[in-house]
Amino acid sequence: MRIPTKFLLTRNSRWVAESLGKRLEDAVEDITDVKIEKKEYTLPEGEILGFVFPVYAWAPPTIVMDFISLLRLSSAPKYVFFVCTCGDDSGKTADVFCKALKEKGWECNAGFSVIMPNTYVSLPGFNVDPLHIVSKKLREAKERIEYISSKLAARARLIDCYEGAFPWIKSYLIHPLFMHTLMSPKPFKAADSCISCGLCEKACPVRNIHLKERGKPEWGSHCTMCLACYHSCPKHAIEYSCLTQKKGQYLFDKSNKGL
């Protein structure tokens, strides 16, 4: 059975994955649509295995790490890469990801980061970028993808991620604290301005949202804190406690003048 060669999550990383797939003439599939069963998968001869995902609190998302843990291949892939998207920096995401592959007996041959518009708004001091910053980041991201595509086509072996300041502290101290205390979906709620359109339910990559009898969204217990629901709401009616009040929204738009 052929296994997809790209895995992705949110709209920023989806655009990056699709852009790479187009340039490399490779298949792209969503990690949340791939069902890992108790069997081995076989990669066609010469096929590369790549992962495209967003950085959550300076580390790969749990859903990506769980996927890698469950994935079984008939033989070690000959070339594995990852591309992570981040609002500013990636911390030690590369180290965390490469270690997970090593535990499977695989080698991570290449890794890259792509800076994209900020989407995290659930803590004080965090908000979406101003429009001029969004346009600038998207223009630079397009150039970055061209560079990454050329390296992947050449099967380059390098890790090229922007770690930022204090990466070890961010990924190995702050990230565990974040995962332990700030991953609860309980603070999510819909304001009275909710029109019960169901877009939040459709946007959730892990199908954690369902509309109640009165048409209001209700969050389950396996949230990834991707905030797709918050950013997808046409009425800006979704709130995370009081922490998102007066915060902005962002959805990737191919028509953005930055592209």
Side-chain angles (χ1 to χ4, degrees):
M1 180 180 289
R2 183 178 185 277
I3 192 166
T5 56
K6 304 287 188 304
F7 303 95
L8 49 142
L9 271 171
T10 56
R11 296 193 182 187
N12 274 341
S13 55
R14 180 182 297 276
W15 174 70
V16 171
E18 290 176 346
S19 297
L20 288 171
K22 182 178 180 180
R23 287 164 174 78
L24 298 171
E25 298 183 347
D26 208 349
V28 175
E29 294 196 34
D30 195 315
I31 192 173
T32 59
D33 292 334
V34 179
K35 298 184 183 301
I36 298 296
E37 302 172 356
K38 293 182 178 180
K39 65 172 79 172
E40 289 185 340
Y41 292 87
T42 301
L43 289 174
E45 183 68 25
E47 185 169 359
I48 65 177
L49 180 63
F51 297 83
V52 182
F53 55 84
V55 172
Y56 287 173
W58 301 288
T62 299
I63 189 173
V64 173
M65 302 301 283
D66 289 344
F67 184 90
I68 292 172
S69 177
L70 293 171
L71 181 60
R72 296 174 61 203
L73 299 177
S74 57
S75 61
K78 294 182 178 180
Y79 187 84
V80 185
F81 74 89
F82 75 87
V83 178
C84 62
T85 61
C86 53
D88 293 296
D89 51 53
S90 63
K92 288 293 184 180
T93 292
D95 288 358
V96 175
F97 186 83
C98 291
K99 181 179 178 181
L101 289 189
K102 188 175 182 180
E103 291 175 352
K104 299 284 293 188
W106 307 338
E107 179 185 0
C108 183
N109 305 112
F112 306 87
S113 63
V114 179
I115 295 178
M116 294 289 286
N118 281 303
T119 61
Y120 188 74
V121 296
S122 299
L123 281 177
F126 289 82
N127 203 348
V128 298
D129 293 316
L131 290 178
H132 72 283
I133 297 297
V134 169
S135 294
K136 179 176 183 293
K137 284 186 174 182
L138 293 179
R139 285 196 303 271
E140 293 175 350
K142 187 175 181 180
E143 296 175 359
R144 177 72 170 164
I145 290 171
E146 293 287 353
Y147 164 79
I148 294 171
S149 297
S150 67
K151 293 299 182 182
L152 294 178
R155 301 295 189 267
R157 295 175 179 267
L158 78 160
I159 301 297
D160 182 4
C161 294
Y162 178 63
E163 293 186 345
F166 310 110
W168 195 94
I169 293 175
K170 289 175 178 176
S171 296
Y172 294 113
L173 293 181
I174 297 178
H175 176 75
L177 181 63
F178 178 92
M179 297 298 294
H180 182 69
T181 62
L182 298 172
M183 288 293 291
S184 173
K186 291 182 179 179
F188 278 115
K189 61 181 179 179
D192 293 339
S193 54
C194 172
I195 58 174
S196 304
C197 65
L199 288 179
C200 56
E201 182 180 40
K202 294 178 182 178
C204 181
V206 293
R207 300 167 182 82
N208 189 50
I209 301 173
H210 302 284
L211 299 187
K212 297 187 295 184
E213 292 182 2
R214 295 183 180 180
K216 299 295 183 181
E218 185 174 64
W219 283 260
S221 60
H222 55 286
C223 180
T224 66
M225 284 301 291
C226 70
L227 299 179
C229 57
Y230 169 88
H231 292 292
S232 297
C233 180
K235 294 297 183 179
H236 205 170
I238 293 178
E239 302 174 351
Y240 192 73
S241 183
C242 62
L243 297 172
T244 55
Q245 291 181 3
K246 299 182 180 180
K247 298 285 184 74
Q249 290 177 291
Y250 168 78
L251 277 178
F252 177 80
D253 182 0
K254 291 182 180 179
S255 67
N256 187 286
K257 62 182 180 181
L259 298 176

